[in-house]
Amino acid sequence: MSLKAPSPPADTGRGRGGRAPRPVSRRSGLARLGPLPWIAPVILLILAVVVWPVVELIRTSFLNISISGKVRGSAGTDKFKKLFEESDFSAVLLWTVVWTVVVVTVTMLFSLALAQLFNQKFPGRRYARWALIAPWAASVLMTAIGFKWMLNQTAGVLNTLMLDLGLIDSSKDWLGKPETAWPWMMGVAVFVSLPFTTYTLLAGLQTIPQDVYEASRIDGAGPWQTYRHITLPMLRPAFLVGVVINLINVFNSFPIIWAMTQGGPGYDTSTSMVFMYKLKETDIGESAAMSVVNFLMVVVLVLIFLKVSRWNEED
C-alpha cells in the first residue's frame, strides 16, 4: 500500500480565517482624484471664458497693432506710457470712481428701503413687486435710449412738460453739458440697478426668523433698536452680495453712457469703459492697456470694499 502526499486544498478564493480578500475596486483611480472629475468642466469653463481672455488682453497691451488688426511686433510698455500721458486720463479715472461710488451708494439705499417696504403686507404688494421687475426685464440699452428721447432738447417730453408748466423759459439740452448729463445718467443707472438689488435684499429679509423679532419685542427693544441690532446684522450677507455685484456692474456699465452721450462732449461724460472704447479707434494697443487698468481698478475697488466691510468676519 503506497502512501500519497495529501493534495493541497482547493483554492476557494478565501484568505485567512475563511474571509475572501477584498476585490480591487475599479474606482480606486477616480477616488484618488477626489472631486476633480466633477469640477473639471467648471474649471475648464473658467479657464476658457475668464483666465484666457485676461491673459490675451495683457499680451495685446504689449503689442504694436495696426487699426486693421495686424500685429507689427512688440511695443513693450509704450502703450501704457502713451495712456498715462493722455490729457484726459486722470479726469476720466476720477469720474469713473465718482460714478461707481454714487450709483452704488444710492442704489443700495433705495433698494434697502424698497426691500423693507415689499417685506411688509399691504394691498397690491404682489403687483408692486411685479412692476419692479420691469426695469430689470427691459434692455438696458433701450431704457437708456428711451430716457435720451425723453430728455431731447427739441421734442423731449421733459422740456415740453416743463415749458407748458412755466418751469423753464426755453428748452434745455440736458445731455449736452456734463453738469446736467452726469446726474441724469446716474439716475438711469440707479433705475436699472434697483430691481436686482431690491430682490437680493428682500430675499435676505425673508430669511430672518420671525421668532428673533418676537424675542426682541419681549425684551422691550424699540423698532429702531430691532432694525439696527437684528435686521441689519442678519441682512449683512445679502447686502454684501448686492454691493459687490453692483460695484462690478456699474463700473463696467457701458450702454447707458454710450447711448445717452457717447461720452461727449469730448471725454467730459466718459468713464474708463467709454474711454477705452474710444481709444480703439486710434490705437488698439492703447485701448488694451486701458482695459488692463480697468481690470485692476475693479479688482482694487472690490478688495477695498471687502476689506472695509470685513466680509469674512462674523458679528
Side-chain angles (χ1 to χ4, degrees), residues 46-104:
I46 293 175
L47 291 174
V49 303
V50 178
V51 178
W52 180 78
V54 172
V55 173
E56 188 66 18
L57 175 66
I58 296 174
R59 188 183 71 86
T60 304
S61 65
F62 292 98
L63 296 177
N64 187 10
I65 305 176
S66 65
I67 300 300
S68 60
K70 183 177 180 179
V71 179
R72 296 177 177 176
S74 174
T77 58
D78 291 345
K79 300 302 179 182
F80 287 93
K81 293 178 181 177
K82 182 180 178 182
L83 175 66
F84 297 151
E85 292 174 357
E86 292 282 353
S87 58
D88 298 297
F89 178 73
S90 58
V92 167
L93 292 187
L94 176 61
W95 273 112
T96 301
V97 174
V98 173
W99 158 270
T100 305
V101 172
V102 170
V103 172
V104 172

Side-chain angles (χ1 to χ4, degrees), residues 103-149:
V103 172
V104 172
T105 302
V106 175
T107 298
M108 295 308 299
L109 292 176
F110 274 93
S111 297
L112 190 60
L114 287 173
Q116 196 70 45
L117 173 64
F118 289 151
N119 197 41
Q120 307 298 320
K121 293 182 180 180
F122 58 88
R125 182 180 68 169
R126 178 184 299 179
Y127 302 104
R129 288 182 176 181
W130 289 350
L132 184 64
I133 301 178
W136 194 16
S139 167
V140 175
L141 180 61
M142 292 306 299
T143 302
I145 292 175
F147 273 92
K148 181 180 180 180
W149 289 344

Side-chain angles (χ1 to χ4, degrees), residues 13-36:
R14 297 178 178 273
R16 294 180 179 180
R19 295 179 180 178
R22 293 181 179 178
V24 179
S25 176
R26 296 179 180 178
R27 298 182 179 180
S28 59
L30 292 177
R32 294 175 183 175
L33 297 177
L36 184 60

